[in-house]
Amino acid sequence: MMRRNFSHRRWALAVAIAAGFLASPAQAQSTDSSKFVVDLGVGIDMSINGNVNSGAIGRLNGQAAAILPQPYGDVYGTGLTFKFGGGYGLNPESELRAVFTLQSADANLVRLGDLGPSSLYGQYSDYVSFGLDLGYRRYVPLTNTKLRVYGEATAGLAFIDEINVVLSAPQSNLILDESDFYDRTAAFTWGLNFVVLFPVASKLDLNAQFGLRHVSGLSE
């Protein structure tokens, strides 16, 4: 059985997430004396589309091999996201945003395909990315309620850690050590979010957010 190694960044992420829960994901509202706001949030990432690798047929270690496409959701499942940043209010209905996003997801052991007479399995390294998103937020005017609703669009860059994979074909008595599957890379991102703010105090809100974030392909 292979023992998983966790980097210092994952411990830092765990501490950050715990701090986020203790502080409650919140937003400091703008006041008459300041147009700046600060955001802190913790959420979960569920994959909608995309593959970690495509399918292929060839030879590996002298044996015929068939590799199946591996959906991102099968390899990494549901991950965690930690966001922190802020914005500047242009007027009561709109803001400019700058948000740092840290994403982390543990990899599952998956069946990659076949190698000779044996099934071929792969254990990818965990997914970690850190990015900066710039965006625009627009509030929806509401009357007779303290709730605030807004939509926002973002675009930016995410820096994704190198991804390796350990291959194993038990019936062929073969284990291939970690290979450089994807290099560390910068990927373009864009996102759309829809949010409801619940006022807690004069300068504090809790928010519930639903959104879509797209990350472009990794370098080979």
Side-chain angles (χ1 to χ4, degrees):
M1 180 178 294
M2 182 177 66
R3 183 177 180 179
R4 306 286 296 281
N5 293 316
F6 292 89
S7 68
H8 294 297
R9 280 169 299 184
R10 290 179 180 80
W11 284 111
L13 176 62
V15 173
I17 290 172
F21 277 118
L22 291 175
S24 296
Q27 178 192 56
Q29 293 182 328
S30 299
T31 67
D32 294 337
S33 61
S34 175
K35 293 185 177 182
F36 292 96
V37 296
V38 176
D39 284 343
L40 174 65
V42 177
I44 59 173
D45 282 332
M46 294 180 291
S47 174
I48 296 176
N49 192 23
N51 293 330
V52 177
N53 63 267
S54 57
I57 295 176
R59 301 190 71 83
L60 177 63
N61 203 45
Q63 298 186 70
I67 306 296
L68 302 174
Q70 297 299 317
Y72 180 92
D74 290 350
V75 176
Y76 290 109
T78 299
L80 291 173
T81 296
F82 176 67
K83 293 184 177 183
F84 57 96
Y88 178 79
L90 300 176
N91 53 57
E93 286 78 38
S94 60
E95 293 174 3
L96 296 179
R97 312 288 303 158
V99 179
F100 293 99
T101 302
L102 178 63
Q103 293 178 291
S104 179
D106 294 338
N108 301 313
L109 177 66
V110 295
R111 183 179 180 276
L112 284 178
D114 297 296
L115 178 66
S118 175
S119 294
L120 180 65
Y121 299 92
Q123 177 66 67
Y124 293 85
S125 55
D126 295 342
Y127 180 94
V128 178
S129 74
F130 183 77
L132 172 63
D133 296 310
L134 304 178
Y136 174 78
R137 175 181 294 180
R138 183 72 178 181
Y139 289 89
V140 178
L142 297 176
T143 59
N144 301 321
T145 180
K146 292 184 179 181
L147 299 180
R148 302 191 72 189
V149 177
Y150 66 82
E152 65 181 10
T154 64
L157 289 176
F159 298 91
I160 304 170
D161 279 7
E162 176 183 294
I163 296 177
N164 299 316
V165 62
V166 176
L167 302 177
S168 175
Q171 288 179 286
S172 297
N173 196 31
L174 174 68
I175 295 180
L176 298 178
D177 292 335
E178 290 193 16
S179 59
D180 186 6
F181 201 72
Y182 283 113
D183 291 332
R184 177 179 170 84
T185 186
F188 174 75
T189 67
W190 61 263
L192 296 172
N193 299 310
F194 302 94
V195 183
V196 178
L197 293 180
F198 304 89
V200 175
S202 61
K203 297 181 181 180
L204 185 67
D205 291 335
L206 293 180
N207 67 53
Q209 175 176 301
F210 174 80
L212 172 68
R213 188 168 187 256
H214 172 79
V215 181
S216 64
L218 305 177
S219 65
E220 297 182 358

